[in-house]
Amino acid sequence: MASTAAGKQRIPKVAKVKNKAPAEVQITAEQLLREAKERELELLPPPPKQKITDEEELNDYKLKKRKGFEDNIRKNRTVISNWIKYAQWEESLKEVQRARSIYERALDVDHRNIALWLKYAEMEMKNRQVNHARNIWDRAITILPRVNQFWYKYTYMEEMLGNIAGCRLVFERWMEWQPEEQAWHSYINFELRYKEVEKARATYERYILSHEEQGSCYVKNWIKYARFEEKHGYIAHGRRVFERAVEFFGEDIMDEQLFVAFAKFEEKQKEFERVRVIYKYALDRIPKQQAQELFKTYTVFEKRFGDRRGIEDVIVSKRRFQYEEEVKANPHNYDAWFDYLRLVESDADPDPVRDVYERAIANVPPIQEKRHWRRYIYLWINYALYEELEARDPERTRQVYQACLELIPHKKFTFAKMWLLYGQFEIRQKNLPFARKSLGTGIGKCPKNKLFKGYIELELQLREFDRCRKLYEKYLEFGPENCTTWIKFAELETILGDMDRARAIYELAIGQPRLDMPEVLWKSYIDFEIEQEEYEKTRELYRRLLQRTQHVKVWISFAQFELSLESKDRLAKCQQIYEEANKAMRNCEEKEERLMLLESWRDLEAEFGTDITRDRVRKLLPEKVKKRRKLQAEDGSDAGWEEYYDYIFPEDSANQPNLKLLAMAKMWKKQKQQEEELEQPEEPGESEDSEDSESEKVEVPEHQEEQKGAEAPTEQDTYGDEKKNES
């Protein structure tokens, strides 16, 4: 019991947390991690500096450090950085012999390490051990002759020491290994620094001859060689270098850079004829797509030193080549042919132009579809116009038109433009029978609206009205549904003064079973009768039209017609027509059309009517109400409700209860509003806005919506029921 009590006393009691509410400042896991990361970055205090006071402590320090370096090397001999650190430490203690020994031991481990050789040689050079440094560089370039850095460092050391002959020997040894381009240029620049021009020339010769197999990649070296000769005043030598380069590369490797540089060289020497010969030689042999820069420089040269003819020849030849390449790559690129033809048409000689036109029109579209022929047919049109206007050869122009019309597959499609252009050409040649024959052939093979219109227009200009009548008859046989044709035919007869014939044409037109624009035709017929002042016939036409359609615009037009007549009873007739229209449109599904009619009637009464008639029409205007109806998705599911506006006309007997209910709802709302105004102070402008909004938007009561079946009540609709019960 005692032990148990003692054990219980040893257990510390956990204090109960009285306030379990969350702390005001919350610490997130992200904040904890960020603080831990920031504390990691805090710099540790540097280790204390060690001061060595006597030689014994220095020897102990050296022994300790050497033992550490040797242990690191023993652990992993292949880590060269340990060797370099060891050697650099010995060097810092001025123990050059020890450092040299460490480098030699390291080279025994890895003699192909470039950094090791560089550090070793730099140590010897720092300590002014020139012979040791030469020995190291000789060993390095013997073991690793393809490492250019050793050669650069070696030659630089010798040149800094003033050992020019030794430096030249090193370069000669380096050149035996056929190094890269920069090495040769370094050797040449070395010779030029000491005014050894002949030796530099010899080096250039060795260089360009040692790279014969590398071809056009080293064209620039020949150019540098020639510029070197030019820079030092050896013009003849420079020209000879360029000539040798052209012979060396031959026609297998034609590089435009070489010829551009050669031409500019001769241009500086004022040898303009030589320049022109060089450019022409190159342009004749280099593929044109590879000679863009050559063309450009040649053009600039001709602009500076040539005449106008030479400049034009250069530009035309350049563009001609570009177009040739384009049409060769894609013969059916008709836009390229158009540009090419526009270029060659500037030439005075027609034979080359005809040759290009013949090549262009030979590329017939492979598919017999009109959209593929639209651009192609303009080649023929331009060809015919060129022969007529530029070459002034009518017979050849006629042959071009005939060949084009024979080529077009008229059974599938045709081009009325070609028939009309051919007919107009024959008229310009004062050959009217040929023109009529060609247009008639076109109508017979492939009748088209455009072809008929063009032929009729031609005959109208020639004042051949009988032929126009025959053409209109053929046109209407081809397309009897075309209202424009009927109207134009009737207008022609009207102009000729034959009113009976024009009226007969209109009668035939409106009697057609199918028309594309019947409203335009009827309007034209009515306007015709009005112009002839045949008002009874006009009324008859309106009545006949209303038998076919009850469109509101027809009724309004009829009423306006009656109003426009100068008679005493015109207003009564107009009002009578509006009455008839209102009765006829009571069963119209489109309530907006009926509203449009009543608004037009209201405007009439406002201008010409009396107060009684105005009040009567005002009572016919409908009430605008807002309703809701269910929407259904395509799959038949419920898609919600939609609000829409409807019109309730007072004349409809079914709407009388609705109108009474609406009037009572308005009265109740007004009474309610007045009570609220007495209870609360009114803000300025509030009552007027509320009255306007209430008068504009009146909801349909709920029980009336349920009668409709497909429409649902709104919140304001239930107000209507409450108001009805109260009343």
Side-chain angles (χ1 to χ4, degrees), residues 406-419:
E406 289 176 3
L407 181 65
I408 298 171
H410 298 293
K411 291 184 179 179
K412 294 186 177 180
F413 59 85
T414 189
F415 289 94
K417 183 187 295 292
M418 286 303 301
W419 293 103

Side-chain angles (χ1 to χ4, degrees), residues 687-704:
S687 62
E688 294 179 2
D689 295 341
S690 62
E691 279 185 14
D692 293 342
S693 62
E694 294 299 334
S695 61
E696 287 177 1
K697 296 183 180 180
V698 180
E699 301 293 339
V700 176
E702 182 179 5
H703 71 280
Q704 294 293 336

Side-chain angles (χ1 to χ4, degrees), residues 581-606:
N582 188 29
K583 290 179 182 178
M585 297 187 71
R586 282 181 183 175
N587 298 325
C588 180
E589 295 181 358
E590 297 293 335
K591 295 184 178 181
E592 285 80 4
E593 292 187 3
R594 188 177 175 188
L595 177 63
M596 188 189 303
L597 177 72
L598 292 173
E599 287 177 348
S600 175
W601 192 3
R602 181 192 61 191
D603 296 340
L604 170 74
E605 296 296 346

Side-chain angles (χ1 to χ4, degrees), residues 124-126 128-135 137 153-167 190 194:
E124 297 292 0
M125 288 191 292
K126 283 180 185 178
R128 300 180 182 280
Q129 301 292 326
V130 177
N131 289 328
H132 279 285
R134 283 196 182 106
N135 185 21
W137 288 126
K153 295 270 188 183
Y154 195 4
T155 55
Y156 181 71
M157 183 191 77
E158 294 292 355
E159 189 174 359
M160 290 296 102
L161 293 172
N163 186 11
I164 307 304
C167 182
F190 164 75
Y194 297 99

Side-chain angles (χ1 to χ4, degrees), residues 348-383:
D349 188 6
D351 290 334
V353 182
R354 285 173 179 156
D355 180 57
V356 177
Y357 267 118
E358 292 294 337
R359 288 170 54 199
I361 62 178
N363 298 297
V364 182
I367 303 173
Q368 290 189 352
E369 292 183 10
K370 190 167 184 177
R371 60 190 181 92
H372 295 288
W373 284 64
R374 292 186 186 277
R375 298 292 294 163
Y376 170 71
I377 209 68
Y378 277 97
L379 289 173
W380 287 95
I381 294 173
N382 291 347
Y383 190 9

Side-chain angles (χ1 to χ4, degrees), residues 321-459:
F321 163 71
Q322 293 175 350
Y323 293 137
E324 282 287 350
E325 292 296 319
E326 287 185 27
V327 298
K328 191 182 295 181
N330 184 7
H332 292 94
N333 184 2
Y334 300 120
D335 291 328
W337 283 110
F338 288 134
D339 296 337
Y340 191 10
L341 288 164
R342 198 176 300 115
L343 174 67
V344 298
E345 280 180 6
S346 60
D347 196 350
D349 188 6
D351 290 334
V353 182
R354 285 173 179 156
D355 180 57
V356 177
Y357 267 118
E358 292 294 337
R359 288 170 54 199
I361 62 178
N363 298 297
V364 182
I367 303 173
Q368 290 189 352
E369 292 183 10
K370 190 167 184 177
R371 60 190 181 92
H372 295 288
W373 284 64
R374 292 186 186 277
R375 298 292 294 163
Y376 170 71
I377 209 68
Y378 277 97
L379 289 173
W380 287 95
I381 294 173
N382 291 347
Y383 190 9
L385 293 176
Y386 173 78
E387 291 291 351
E388 182 184 0
L389 302 176
E390 300 294 334
R392 300 188 181 282
D393 190 343
E395 188 58 36
R396 194 175 180 87
T397 307
R398 186 176 291 109
Q399 292 174 5
V400 171
Y401 277 121
Q402 290 174 354
C404 177
L405 292 172
E406 289 176 3
L407 181 65
I408 298 171
H410 298 293
K411 291 184 179 179
K412 294 186 177 180
F413 59 85
T414 189
F415 289 94
K417 183 187 295 292
M418 286 303 301
W419 293 103
L420 294 173
L421 287 173
Y422 183 29
Q424 292 166 3
F425 161 73
E426 293 292 359
I427 289 173
R428 286 194 294 272
Q429 301 303 317
K430 299 180 181 180
N431 198 347
L432 186 57
F434 270 43
R436 284 175 174 159
K437 183 179 179 182
S438 64
L439 293 172
T441 305
I443 289 174
K445 283 186 176 181
C446 43
K448 286 187 68 177
N449 291 334
K450 186 176 180 181
L451 192 53
F452 274 112
K453 290 177 182 177
Y455 195 0
I456 291 169
E457 183 66 26
L458 174 65
E459 295 293 354

